[in-house]
């Protein structure tokens, strides 16, 4: 193991010097990064100098393919059967449509990393202002924590089934420990590990699908399972689309070291889109299949073990190892976003690797404690988490993409992101904040879940299309607000 140290000190003028296209220069207290996947990343939230840009956009395919071939993706796909009671073919079509639609918006964020060289949520200052971005970043940290806790629950259950002597608590602890490597080591390590799990977990998912679909009892059950409804179909589409949209705050974190070029941005989009879509579709198909043949909807993992027989432990452990990498990514992103909140509170400070390590450890411990509260009725808790996630994520995604592609055309003064007064973007961008609130409000009439059903959703047989309404209407409101501001 090798690593570079980064001295943490008061931020210097050289730390925030830059142009609209390139951002800040390399801090005088840091040395250029060299090394391999075993080198701990010392860069944090500040722009990556062009001298340290590396890799190829095609590397993003394995990042997003490997990240999605996990047990949690399987559980998410099972919602099509367990919650929405769709027949297998209808459920798979809904999941396919949701992933292909949601993946477009998620992958559009991929070009922002090479262009600006900073983590995804740092860019939020360019749309909402330095202080206006605080609630957005805080909400996203909550999302990272929620997904990480979900990973620990599913990973703990998987270890309990495949390695019984370890038990549930031991399984959760094992997932936490294994997640530490990608979470602490950072960018290069995550890229290297996702290449490995793309192959291993992809093969495990395909094998599991073949085994289950080859079982005559399973096929008989699938033939008679479920009934198609518009509300169920749209519910499954929404779940799959949201799965993709939930990665939007992650995307630039894993593309910010790539060289900046127009062609590279296009390739980054395609690698991210197809990696994430293909990496999600097969696990979700497996989940929908297992949900239909599971006697009790919450017993997805025991059902998988039952059908796999003697090969079950091998497949399960492989997929759990995959989930530790995905979990490490959530914690890593959470630490970067938390660092940005700290930067806003102390704008004259420069926060390096040591601070990131401390925050990473704090998040891991907090998630471990939270996990112990999620062990009962996990499917219900997870479903409601996704519902909440949909409401708060959609307006941010719409505003971020409209501002980046149609308003700023990818050109920002990156140095302003780190200034106490917000630089060119000020402390608050009132139009963007108003549009965000409106984006949440316009979804309410279209929501349909166990807590609330809006009037429009009731008129459409409890069909939830809140995410589509939020995307479209928030985008329109933001475009109109920008045009009005230009006129005035």
């Amino acid at each position: 193991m090798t690593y570079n140290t980064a001295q943490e000190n008061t931020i210097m003028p050289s730390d925030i010097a830059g142009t609209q296209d390139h951002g800040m220069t390399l801090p005088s207290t840091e040395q250029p990064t060299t090394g391999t996947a075993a080198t701990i990343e010392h860069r944090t939230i500040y722009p990556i100098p062009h001298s340290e840009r590396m890799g190829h956009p095609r590397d993003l395919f394995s990042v997003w393919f490997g990240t999605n071939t996990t047990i949690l993706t399987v559980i998410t796909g099972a919602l099509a059967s367990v919650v929405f009671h769709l027949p297998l073919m209808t459920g798979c079509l809904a999941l396919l449509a949701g992933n292909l639609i949601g993946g477009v918006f998620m992958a559009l964020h991929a070009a922002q990393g090479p262009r600006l060289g900073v983590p995804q949520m740092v860019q939020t200052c360019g749309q909402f202002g330095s202080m206006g971005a605080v609630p957005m970043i805080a909400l996203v940290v909550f999302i990272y924590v929620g997904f990480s806790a979900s990973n620990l629950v599913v990973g703990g259950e998987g270890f309990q089934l495949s390695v019984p002597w370890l038990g549930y608590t031991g399984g959760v602890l094992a997932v936490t420990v294994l997640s530490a490597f990608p979470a602490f080591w950072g960018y290069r390590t995550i890229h290297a590990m996702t290449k490995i799990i793309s192959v291993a977990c992809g093969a495990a998912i395909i094998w599991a699908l073949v085994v289950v679909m080859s079982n005559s009892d399973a096929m008989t059950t699938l033939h008679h399972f479920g009934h198609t409804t518009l509300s169920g179909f749209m519910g499954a589409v929404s779940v799959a689309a949201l799965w993709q949209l939930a990665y939007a705050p992650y995307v630039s974190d894993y593309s910010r070291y790539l060289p900046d070029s127009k062609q590279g941005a296009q390739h980054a989009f395609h690698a991210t889109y197809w990696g994430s879509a293909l990496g999600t579709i097969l696990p979700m198909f497996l989940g929908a299949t297992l949900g239909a043949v599971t006697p009790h909807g919450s017993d997805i993992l025991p059902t998988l073990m039952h059908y796999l027989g003697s090969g079950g432990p091998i497949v399960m452990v492989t997929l759990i190892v995959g989930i530790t990498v995905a979990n490490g990514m959530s914690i890593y992103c959470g630490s970067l976003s938390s660092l940005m909140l700290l930067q806003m509170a102390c704008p004259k400070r420069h926060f390096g690797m040591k601070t990131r390590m401390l925050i990473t450890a704090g998040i891991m411990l907090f998630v471990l404690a939270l996990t112990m509260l999620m062990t009962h009725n996990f499917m219900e808790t997870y479903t409601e988490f996704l519902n909440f996630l949909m409401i708060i994520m959609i307006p941010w995604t719409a505003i971020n993409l409209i501002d980046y592609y149609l308003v700023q055309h990818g050109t920002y003064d990156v140095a302003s992101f780190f200034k106490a007064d917000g630089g060119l973007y000020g402390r608050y961008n009132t139009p963007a904040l108003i549009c965000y609130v409106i984006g949440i409000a316009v979804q309410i009439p279209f929501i349909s879940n166990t807590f609330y059903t809006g009037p429009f959703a009731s008129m459409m047989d409890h069909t939830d299309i809140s995410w589509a309404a939020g995307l479209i209407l928030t985008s329109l409101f933001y475009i109109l607000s920008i045009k009005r501001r230009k006129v005035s």
Side-chain angles (χ1 to χ4, degrees):
M1 179 185 72
T2 60
Y3 62 92
N4 294 320
T5 58
Q7 183 180 348
E8 301 185 30
N9 49 28
T10 302
I11 197 164
M12 302 298 291
S14 62
D15 294 337
I16 58 173
T19 66
Q20 289 185 340
D21 291 339
H22 304 297
M24 297 189 292
T25 60
L26 187 67
S28 59
T29 56
E30 297 183 355
Q31 298 302 317
T33 300
T34 59
T36 65
T39 302
I40 295 179
E41 179 188 11
H42 80 270
R43 291 288 170 192
T44 57
I45 57 175
Y46 308 106
I48 306 301
H50 288 277
S51 61
E52 295 185 27
R53 300 298 184 94
M54 59 185 176
H56 191 278
R58 63 173 174 267
D59 298 336
L60 297 174
F61 181 90
S62 59
V63 168
W64 296 111
F65 187 91
T67 301
N68 283 291
T69 51
T70 69
I71 286 291
L72 189 60
T73 318
V74 174
I75 297 292
T76 305
L79 298 177
S81 304
V82 175
V83 175
F84 303 112
H85 308 290
L86 294 174
L88 181 62
M89 287 301 297
T90 306
C92 288
L93 284 174
L95 294 171
L96 176 64
N99 276 295
L100 293 179
I101 295 170
V104 172
F105 299 97
M106 173 267 197
L108 283 171
H109 291 281
Q112 298 174 357
R115 179 65 172 166
L116 303 178
V118 293
Q120 188 72 59
M121 294 312 297
V122 172
Q123 304 168 19
T124 302
C125 297
Q127 290 96 44
F128 295 94
S130 60
M131 297 307 298
V134 169
M136 312 298 160
I137 299 175
L139 285 171
V140 167
V141 172
F142 170 79
I143 291 171
Y144 294 138
V145 168
F147 271 118
S148 182
S150 301
N151 285 329
L152 290 193
V153 170
V154 174
E157 292 178 354
F159 266 133
Q160 185 178 23
L161 290 169
S162 56
V163 191
W165 58 266
L166 197 57
Y168 174 77
T169 302
V172 169
L173 291 173
V175 173
T176 301
V177 171
L178 292 173
S179 301
F181 189 45
F184 281 106
W185 267 250
Y187 186 92
R188 282 186 177 87
T189 301
I190 290 169
H191 271 256
M193 293 182 74
T194 51
K195 287 183 172 66
I196 298 171
I197 64 171
S198 291
V199 177
C201 294
I205 291 290
I206 292 172
W207 172 249
L209 263 174
V210 170
V211 170
V212 175
M213 298 299 290
S214 300
N215 186 283
S216 58
D217 292 337
M219 293 305 295
T220 300
T221 304
L222 288 170
H223 183 70
H224 297 94
F225 178 85
H227 55 280
T228 301
T229 62
L230 178 61
S231 59
F233 184 85
M234 291 306 301
V237 170
S238 297
V239 164
L242 181 61
W243 177 268
Q244 295 292 339
L245 290 167
Y247 278 120
Y250 292 67
V251 180
S252 285
D253 296 10
Y254 300 101
S255 64
R256 71 191 199 277
Y257 278 86
L258 293 175
D260 178 21
S261 69
K262 183 177 180 180
Q263 187 179 32
Q266 295 173 350
H267 290 167
F269 169 83
H270 287 291
T272 300
Y273 179 76
W274 291 111
S276 187
L278 295 176
T280 303
I281 288 169
L282 286 181
M284 284 196 176
F285 285 1
L286 175 61
T289 304
L290 292 172
V293 300
T294 299
H296 304 287
S298 60
D299 296 335
I300 301 298
L301 299 188
T303 300
L304 176 60
M305 291 290 289
H306 168 73
Y307 281 104
L308 291 177
S310 59
I314 297 174
V315 170
M316 186 65 71
V317 169
T318 301
L319 294 178
I320 294 171
V321 170
I323 211 173
T324 64
V325 180
N327 190 52
M329 289 176 66
S330 292
I331 295 169
Y332 172 75
C333 292
S335 69
L336 294 179
S337 292
S338 299
L339 266 180
M340 191 57 191
L341 292 175
L342 193 59
Q343 180 70 62
M344 291 170 173
C346 307
K348 294 184 179 181
R349 296 286 298 173
H350 180 279
F351 299 100
M353 182 188 71
K354 293 179 181 179
T355 306
R356 182 178 72 83
M357 293 290 186
L358 290 172
I359 292 176
T360 298
I363 293 175
M364 293 185 74
L365 291 174
F366 178 75
V367 169
L368 185 61
L370 180 63
T371 300
M372 301 308 171
L373 304 176
M374 294 182 64
T375 56
H376 300 293
N377 300 320
F378 173 71
M379 291 294 284
E380 295 179 10
T381 303
Y382 183 59
T383 302
E384 296 312 321
F385 169 67
L386 291 177
N387 288 332
F388 173 76
L389 179 63
M390 180 185 301
I391 296 171
I392 65 173
M393 279 301 306
I394 295 300
W396 172 83
T397 294
I399 292 169
N400 181 276
L401 292 177
I402 292 295
D403 193 78
Y404 182 86
Y405 285 100
L406 300 184
V407 179
Q408 304 291 347
H409 304 290
T411 300
Y412 289 85
D413 178 33
V414 177
S416 290
F417 298 166
F418 301 90
K419 293 180 179 179
D421 61 355
L424 294 180
Y425 311 108
R427 292 182 178 274
Y428 299 95
N429 181 359
T430 303
L433 291 169
I434 291 174
C435 286
Y436 181 81
V437 174
I438 292 174
I440 292 177
V442 298
Q443 295 179 74
I444 295 175
F446 299 92
I447 291 173
S448 178
N449 56 44
T450 56
F451 295 117
Y452 172 79
T453 299
F456 291 159
S458 295
M459 293 170 57
M460 296 182 289
D461 192 25
H462 296 270
T463 301
D464 190 328
I465 59 169
S466 57
W467 63 277
L471 269 176
I472 295 170
L473 295 177
T474 304
S475 299
L476 289 175
F477 280 124
Y478 190 62
I479 290 171
L480 290 174
S481 71
I482 293 299
K483 288 184 176 180
R484 182 178 179 181
R485 185 167 58 180
K486 287 182 177 179
V487 171
S488 60

